[in-house]
Amino acid sequence: MARTLAQFSITPDSDGDYTLHLEDDDGETLEFTASFEQLDLITEAIEEVLDDDEEDALTADDDDDDEPSDDE
């Protein structure tokens, strides 16, 4: 079963990398070291998923506009 993300942080380290801290609802924290390039890929992947979801939501809203409401 997937855990629920409660909070996260990203901090630079002295080696030029970054540490990702991911905390779940139970308070368990996982730490990952990532390079700038890896964080950039994560950012791109998140943006792609959110953009797709936004397009789907807008398409669904457009479909709802075509249907008559109960008021009509």
Side-chain angles (χ1 to χ4, degrees):
M1 179 179 199
R3 300 180 203 181
T4 300
L5 181 65
Q7 63 181 355
F8 71 95
S9 64
I10 302 170
T11 54
D13 66 19
S14 60
D15 296 328
D17 288 326
Y18 299 86
T19 303
L20 285 80
H21 306 265
L22 305 174
E23 184 177 330
D24 68 11
D25 279 343
D26 294 330
E28 183 177 345
T29 300
L30 300 172
E31 293 184 3
F32 298 92
T33 299
S35 67
F36 178 88
E37 292 80 15
Q38 289 171 316
L39 287 182
D40 192 43
L41 289 171
I42 291 169
T43 302
E44 289 176 11
I46 291 170
E47 287 176 350
E48 184 176 314
V49 169
L50 293 178
D51 287 347
D52 288 347
D53 284 351
E54 182 177 41
E55 287 176 22
D56 290 345
L58 291 174
T59 302
D61 286 345
D62 289 344
D63 291 345
D64 290 345
D65 291 343
D66 294 339
E67 298 175 10
S69 67
D70 292 336
D71 297 336
E72 293 179 15

